[in-house]
Amino acid sequence: MKEIDVISLQAALLHTSRLIVEKESFLTQLDNIVGDGDHGTGMRDGFLELSQTALQESYASLYDLVYASGVSLVKTMGGASGVIFGTLFIGGRNAFLDEAGTKLQSAGVCAFRSFFRQSAESIAKRGRAKPNDRTMLDALLHAVEAMDAYTGDDVQTLLYEGWQGAQRGVEATKQMLPRMGRTKNFRDVALGYPDPGACSTAFIFQGLYEGLQNSEENEF
Ligand code: ADP
Ligand code: MG
């Protein structure tokens, strides 16, 4: 798919929400070991809200859709991780404006690549995490790097590359000592386990990729 429109992205986000809800117990078990145990329920609540309210509306542009999605995560998840995962959607929204500042109804690889790069920059600015601090940013930055290396024009493949990159970031967090958020209190036990927020980030890319795959299959 060279161009993704609002309906396709909405379908992909719905699939993503279902995947995150499905992963609740995995994320809870992991955050129970390396953190305070609330990451699975936080993500579940945020993505349930996203699917049950934000995705039930219709949107005139991709800009409006990602903005509403981020707002529903910030509102429901609360705390630092609500802002962080909300910013994953809100922080890159300007990628869905054209040069004249008009909100785009559909977009291709350049806009999607720029969307995630701007999201990562915005998260780094807000949360003050640096690479190798063992956060979701380690997955997101690997995803951005993988998407930068993709030279084709298929958005679904771009997201697949992002997913693979995010998974490499997840693997890398296993060897990192926590320095940010509450996980910093779990410095020694965390080694060998991946960062929960990094895992969620990889699930988001997986969900978007698989969700677009499904919407393409449904066209035939
Ligand atoms: P909390 O840390 O408040 O318990 P969660 O358990 O829901 O919130 O989320 C924890 C995840 O948030 C971590 O695994 C990490 O990936 C991410 N995180 C924490 N602090 C930051 C930060 N400053 N920047 C980016 N991500 C962060
Ligand atoms: Mg937690």
Side-chain angles (χ1 to χ4, degrees), residues 31 35-39 182:
D31 200 34
D36 57 357
D38 62 351
H39 188 64
R182 285 178 202 156

Side-chain angles (χ1 to χ4, degrees), residues 45-101:
D45 292 349
F47 280 83
L48 270 180
E49 169 73 11
L50 172 57
S51 59
Q52 288 169 358
T53 61
L55 295 180
Q56 300 308 317
E57 307 284 323
S58 49
Y59 297 93
S61 67
L62 293 172
Y63 181 102
D64 291 340
L65 171 59
V66 294
Y67 186 75
S69 301
V71 168
S72 65
L73 296 184
V74 175
K75 269 203 219 152
T76 331
M77 290 175 65
S81 64
V83 175
I84 287 156
F85 282 91
T87 304
L88 178 54
F89 291 98
I90 296 170
R93 69 191 185 282
N94 285 348
F96 297 130
L97 295 174
D98 68 12
E99 294 97 65

Side-chain angles (χ1 to χ4, degrees), residues 13 35 45 70 115 130 140 170 210 219:
L13 283 166
D45 292 349
F115 169 73
K130 298 197 170 42
L140 185 55
V170 167
E210 288 176 352
E219 280 173 22

Side-chain angles (χ1 to χ4, degrees), residues 14-160:
L14 193 58
H15 182 84
T16 304
S17 303
R18 291 198 188 114
L19 182 67
I20 295 285
V21 171
E22 233 176 78
K23 298 291 182 185
E24 180 206 337
S25 69
F26 169 83
L27 294 169
T28 297
Q29 281 172 33
L30 187 57
D31 200 34
N32 266 330
I33 300 168
V34 303
D36 57 357
D38 62 351
H39 188 64
T41 48
M43 292 298 288
R44 177 202 61 197
D45 292 349
F47 280 83
L48 270 180
E49 169 73 11
L50 172 57
S51 59
Q52 288 169 358
T53 61
L55 295 180
Q56 300 308 317
E57 307 284 323
S58 49
Y59 297 93
S61 67
L62 293 172
Y63 181 102
D64 291 340
L65 171 59
V66 294
Y67 186 75
S69 301
V71 168
S72 65
L73 296 184
V74 175
K75 269 203 219 152
T76 331
M77 290 175 65
S81 64
V83 175
I84 287 156
F85 282 91
T87 304
L88 178 54
F89 291 98
I90 296 170
R93 69 191 185 282
N94 285 348
F96 297 130
L97 295 174
D98 68 12
E99 294 97 65
T102 309
K103 295 172 178 175
L104 297 175
Q105 292 177 3
S106 69
V109 288
C110 285
F112 274 91
R113 192 187 277 123
S114 156
F115 169 73
F116 287 108
R117 189 185 306 118
Q118 290 183 42
S119 295
E121 285 166 4
S122 190
I123 290 169
K125 208 168 151 192
R126 275 173 165 267
R128 299 201 183 93
K130 298 197 170 42
N132 301 323
D133 276 352
R134 192 187 158 93
T135 69
M136 57 82 74
L137 206 52
D138 290 306
L140 185 55
L141 290 172
H142 273 83
V144 167
E145 192 182 306
M147 290 187 288
D148 278 347
Y150 174 64
T151 53
D153 62 0
D154 181 60
V155 179
Q156 208 188 333
T157 311
L158 179 82
L159 292 168
Y160 177 80

